[in-house]
Amino acid sequence: MEKQYARILQKLSKAVEEFDADRAKEAAIEAIEEGLDPLRAIDEGLAKGIRVIGELFEKKEAFLPELIMAGEAMKAGTQVLMEEIQKRGLSVKKLGTVLIGTVHGDLHDIGKNIVISMLESAGFEVIDLGVDVAPEVFVKKVEEVQPGVVGMSALLTTTAPGQEKVIKLLRDAGLRDKVKVIIGGAATSETWADEIGADAHAADAVEAVRKIKALLGIKQG
Ligand code: B1M
């Protein structure tokens, strides 16, 4: 079985590296049919492919159109796998509300959407503010919805300061003590979280669920 899984993981990764959305979707369906864990299919398959393209982009061996096409292929595959993740978590009762968005100026949402799927399948109600979310919108929504946790994703070093701005505005509005703050995304780290006064940082979607549960005092498992 493991050999079969390795072949599907390779197919998922290659589909992203070769910008083939149809093949990514097809491989995602195959992964589900063959009993491969959908989260593993994302992490070790699709995300592996996007990392390859990201590295090529950094070395100027791939360019923006390729980055866009790889992102589209990754989205096509993750959509299928995320639906499966959510299907499996449907019977779970609601653990709390998480408000989440990608910060102002930042359009990256693949990772955020995976975090959302994982949270929903773990039993959280998630309110997704989308991408390019202005700091004032985060604060207004926190006031309106009163979630247990607000989460901010940032993939660019130029947009990560938006997370600090939101925390400052929450403090100014007297809301900081009423909501836990978690941050994530490739431009962030534990150190950055400490520096800006966030309550937690998560490196991936599994860690995000674990840390959000811990922040809310919910038993793990
Ligand atoms: Co962009 N991009 N991109 N890009 N892009 C990066 C981030 C980059 C590192 C690529 C590189 O140079 N190697 C680089 C940033 C450099 C930097 O700032 N240091 C970069 C750049 C420069 C840019 C543009 C500026 C390029 C240009 O226009 N010249 C531009 C900016 C647009 C904008 O946002 N204003 C741009 C555009 C794009 C696309 C639109 C083409 C596309 C995004 C498509 C989309 O999201 N809808 C894209 C992509 C695909 C990437 C890379 C290749 C992949 C990102 C991704 O989806 N990873 C990326 C390279 C990289 O990250 N290595 C890159 C897979 C995903 C599963 O991982 O998002 O990290 P990730 O999410 C993880 C964790 O981080 C965590 O859990 C997730 C799941 O495990 N997590 C959280 C994420 N959010 C969380 C929130 C939490 C907790 C955990 O709590 C709230």
Side-chain angles (χ1 to χ4, degrees), residues 156-167:
L156 301 170
T157 42
T158 49
T159 59
Q163 298 174 326
E164 187 175 20
K165 178 93 189 280
V166 172
I167 293 174

Side-chain angles (χ1 to χ4, degrees), residues 201-219:
H201 167 264
D204 58 44
V206 173
E207 195 171 282
V209 173
R210 188 170 53 74
K211 291 204 170 167
I212 286 173
K213 280 187 175 173
L215 287 175
L216 297 175
I218 296 165
K219 217 169 115 243

Side-chain angles (χ1 to χ4, degrees), residues 43 47 50-51 54-55 57-58 64 67-68 71 74-75 100 105-112 114-115 151-153 155-158 182-186 202-205 208:
D43 271 355
I50 203 93
R51 279 194 296 272
E55 279 158 24
F57 180 75
E58 210 159 11
L64 196 55
L67 204 59
I68 294 171
M74 167 117 194
K75 270 196 159 177
I100 193 166
D106 202 323
L107 303 175
H108 296 85
D109 66 356
I110 295 173
K112 169 185 71 67
I114 296 173
V115 172
M152 293 177 275
S153 186
L155 272 281
L156 301 170
T157 42
T158 49
I182 184 164
I183 61 161
D204 58 44

Side-chain angles (χ1 to χ4, degrees), residues 15 19 25 36 41 54 77-78 103 130 144-145 162-163 179 184 186 192 201 205:
F19 326 121
K25 212 166 152 181
L36 179 58
T78 38
V103 296
E144 202 176 296
V145 176
Q163 298 174 326
V179 66
W192 174 242
H201 167 264

